Amino acid sequence: MTDLQELFTAIDDLSPDDLEQVYRRIIQRRSPAYWLVPGSNLKAIQDIMRPVYEQTASMSDDEIDTAIDEALDEVRRERKSTPHHRN
């Protein structure tokens, strides 16, 4: 606990500008490391995905896995055929 207490003391001794920098750093570190989808986009995503959900309702897990693998293979082929792709 002494390290934490030393940190508190050091923070108390900071100038207002330095304290602001520490504050911004803490806010940055506490921000989520994941992306949130805005609520306004959820309806559009649901509309786009509805046919997929309906189609997969009658498929087995193996059929769904196969369809996913085929889609991934197609994306990989497209990326390879594009001259300016990122890795």
Side-chain angles (χ1 to χ4, degrees), residues 10 15 23 26-28 37 44 56 63-64 67 71 77-78 83:
S15 70
Y23 174 75
I26 291 169
I27 295 299
Q28 181 183 29
V37 177
T56 58
E63 290 172 319
I64 292 171
R77 280 192 301 275
E78 289 176 7

Side-chain angles (χ1 to χ4, degrees), residues 79 82 84-87:
R79 284 187 176 174
T82 304
H84 302 290
H85 68 282
R86 291 185 195 176
N87 289 335

Side-chain angles (χ1 to χ4, degrees), residues 40-54:
S40 59
N41 293 351
L42 290 178
K43 177 73 171 123
I45 292 170
Q46 286 175 331
D47 291 343
I48 291 168
M49 294 302 296
R50 184 169 290 114
V52 175
Y53 293 139
E54 291 170 357

